[in-house]
Amino acid sequence: MENVAANASDCFGLDVKGAEERLQHIVTHTPLTYNINLSKKYHCRVFLKREDLQVVRSYKLRGAYNMISSLPADQLQKGVVCASAGNHAQGFAYSCRKLHIKGVVFMPIITPNQKVSQTRMFGDGNVEIRLIGDTFDDCAIAAKEYTLANGMTFIPPFDDKKIVEGQATVGLEILEDLPEVDYLFAPLGGGGLVAGVGAYFKTYSKHTKIIGVEPEGAPSMTEALKAGHPVRLDNIDSFVDGAAVKRVGDFPFSICKEVLDAMHLVNEGKVCSTILKLYNEDAIVAEPAGALAIAALDDYAAEIKDKTIVCIVSGSNNDIDRMQEIKERSLQYEGLKHYFLIRFAQRPGALKEFVNHVLGPTDDITRFEYMQKHNKETGPALVGIELQDNKDYAVLIENMKHYHINYTALNKNDNVFGYLV
């Protein structure tokens, strides 16, 4: 791969070799590991690019340091600003520390505490953190206003050539370690990672199919490709916080539209199930965006059989406080957790009858809460039921009908579900 690296500057106009040199003593050449469990499951050869083992536990350091270290000395002296959902902030903070410059980090208020504390730790006194807005896009507006007002330089998380060049070094490392790759699955938020890695692969491994993977609740690139240009989504589900943006970057889009072979959307619940399986089966701690690429494999099972596959595990900055929500979303997605409003008959033994005769032998009540009416009378009960097999749901419903239980199944897409559960 030495000749490939030497000619990396020809890669869609990206100076990947220059980025590699700047990052040489900053980033870790992360492992590309063969995964036995996934390979057996899909009857192919699955390798994981472990950017979750990067020094800041995500690939974002590559782009941030590449751009910041390329700035003229006078700009560096005035300081730099970034807006980030967490991972870019940590790479940014680490870069400020290494270069001994001042940085200001704008993060959404909903950013997991773990990412905020890690950003502060990596900055080691070189960065100031400001929590503003409910989404990345909200805090990005505030960050850019602050940048202009203070004569500083804004370091975007994805929409800049230098950022994309830095992320492209992920692709350079993959091809150095594994020259023959049939499919590359990569998580996609603003598009910087896929633009860089995709450009590198389409230059030096043209036959590799590049699959960009987005969460269903934030299909920014999917919609941009349909429209032929970046579009701003009105609403997004921010759960997969490392890949949930309302609008992809203009520069990444200009490359992604040329290098992507397909876009694929993954349900957030599926992402949660993937996180739990990676932890339980492989002891890999992946954040939601880090599990996106692997979560797509089920839908490509027939196509990837006997092929060589690489999935980029983009990060592991997962707050332990989110694990209960991750488990909950996974159970609902797998059809193992259901919620009902049940109006129990006002007679002795009604609840006992429900437990003894309506519930199956392995069904478990995980939540029981009587709802209070405005006149303070007891209303229906909110009941959460966990099953061991999703096929037991049909039996549960049949039992409720047989015993004339007055119930309403709460669909997770309903407003009532969001309000009560």
Side-chain angles (χ1 to χ4, degrees):
M1 292 300 297
E2 289 184 8
N3 290 335
V4 170
N7 296 322
S9 60
D10 300 327
C11 172
F12 282 72
L14 301 177
D15 181 13
V16 184
K17 179 60 178 176
E20 182 195 29
E21 291 173 352
R22 279 185 286 274
L23 295 170
Q24 188 174 7
H25 301 295
I26 300 298
V27 304
T28 299
H29 181 125
T30 53
L32 184 67
T33 59
Y34 177 75
N35 188 279
I36 295 175
N37 291 327
L38 293 171
S39 297
K40 289 176 68 174
K41 180 178 181 180
Y42 298 109
H43 306 286
C44 61
R45 297 169 296 281
V46 178
F47 293 83
L48 303 182
K49 178 58 172 171
R50 299 292 305 276
E51 283 297 292
D52 57 304
L53 300 178
Q54 190 53 259
V55 62
V56 296
R57 297 204 286 271
S58 87
Y59 70 93
K60 287 287 192 174
L61 172 59
R62 298 171 183 270
Y65 189 88
N66 187 58
M67 181 177 179
I68 297 172
S69 63
S70 300
L71 295 175
D74 60 328
Q75 283 184 256
L76 283 175
Q77 197 170 29
K78 292 177 182 177
V80 289
V81 181
C82 84
S84 170
N87 287 343
H88 177 57
Q90 292 175 58
F92 172 93
Y94 188 84
S95 301
C96 290
R97 173 177 141 200
K98 283 292 184 180
L99 294 166
H100 307 291
I101 61 172
K102 176 190 175 183
V104 181
V105 180
F106 285 74
M107 306 174 83
I109 296 170
I110 61 169
T111 302
N113 291 332
Q114 185 262 1
K115 290 187 177 182
V116 176
S117 61
Q118 287 296 108
T119 300
R120 187 173 291 112
M121 183 269 290
F122 284 124
D124 193 25
N126 288 84
V127 298
E128 173 191 346
I129 297 174
R130 299 190 174 202
L131 300 179
I132 294 179
D134 293 323
T135 66
F136 161 75
D137 301 84
D138 294 334
C139 79
I141 293 171
K144 289 173 182 176
E145 290 174 350
Y146 180 91
T147 303
L148 288 173
N150 291 274
M152 301 169 80
T153 301
F154 185 70
I155 309 299
F158 46 79
D159 200 6
D160 188 273
K161 183 178 179 181
K162 287 297 179 185
I163 296 290
V164 173
E165 285 175 351
Q167 320 306 28
T169 60
V170 174
L172 184 151
E173 289 181 7
I174 292 172
L175 286 179
E176 281 185 344
D177 295 341
L178 187 68
E180 290 297 322
V181 179
D182 296 309
Y183 283 77
L184 175 73
F185 290 83
L188 201 154
L193 176 65
V194 174
V197 174
Y200 194 84
F201 264 80
K202 288 304 181 183
T203 303
Y204 302 110
S205 184
K206 290 182 171 60
H207 72 281
T208 303
K209 289 192 176 180
I210 310 296
I211 312 297
V213 188
E214 285 182 314
E216 280 185 358
S220 305
M221 183 62 76
T222 300
E223 294 303 314
L225 291 171
K226 287 180 183 177
H229 56 82
V231 296
R232 181 171 294 278
L233 304 182
D234 293 330
N235 297 291
I236 60 173
D237 184 338
S238 61
F239 175 76
V240 185
D241 51 323
V245 300
K246 290 184 177 180
R247 187 184 190 279
V248 299
D250 291 311
F251 184 74
F253 177 79
S254 69
I255 296 178
C256 284
K257 69 180 181 179
E258 303 295 332
V259 303
L260 278 168
D261 290 286
M263 279 300 304
H264 191 72
L265 299 179
V266 176
N267 181 276
E268 281 77 1
K270 174 67 173 175
V271 173
C272 292
S273 294
T274 304
I275 290 172
L276 296 175
K277 286 181 181 178
L278 284 172
Y279 180 77
N280 292 326
E281 297 176 7
D282 297 293
I284 295 174
V285 179
E287 62 183 87
L292 264 177
I294 297 169
L297 295 183
D298 273 345
D299 296 324
Y300 281 82
E303 193 173 331
I304 64 178
K305 185 178 179 181
D306 298 324
K307 304 293 185 182
T308 299
I309 313 301
V310 172
C311 292
I312 299 176
V313 183
S314 59
S316 64
N317 288 302
N318 206 356
D319 194 327
I320 192 68
D321 292 339
R322 302 185 75 192
M323 290 310 292
Q324 187 56 44
E325 181 186 6
I326 289 170
K327 182 181 178 182
E328 179 78 11
R329 282 181 177 251
S330 171
L331 288 170
Q332 290 177 34
Y333 173 78
E334 302 290 344
L336 299 176
K337 188 76 170 282
H338 302 273
Y339 289 90
F340 303 90
L341 280 178
I342 298 179
R343 297 159 185 83
F344 287 102
Q346 299 300 307
R347 59 177 173 78
L351 180 56
K352 184 177 180 181
E353 179 182 88
F354 180 82
V355 173
N356 291 340
H357 300 294
V358 176
L359 294 184
T362 60
D363 299 347
D364 186 27
I365 293 179
T366 58
R367 183 170 176 180
F368 190 95
E369 179 183 348
Y370 275 113
M371 311 304 294
Q372 204 78 10
K373 290 184 178 180
H374 291 299
N375 58 9
K376 296 186 179 181
E377 291 182 6
T378 300
L382 173 63
V383 183
I385 299 176
E386 188 172 324
L387 313 175
Q388 284 194 8
D389 190 319
N390 56 23
K391 295 185 177 116
D392 294 338
Y393 181 72
V395 177
L396 175 65
I397 295 300
E398 186 59 36
N399 287 345
M400 286 204 278
K401 291 177 179 177
H402 178 76
Y403 285 94
H404 306 290
I405 302 297
N406 186 349
Y407 74 93
T408 300
L410 297 180
N411 187 297
K412 64 181 179 181
N413 296 319
D414 290 341
N415 289 332
V416 176
F417 181 92
Y419 178 74
L420 295 177
V421 180

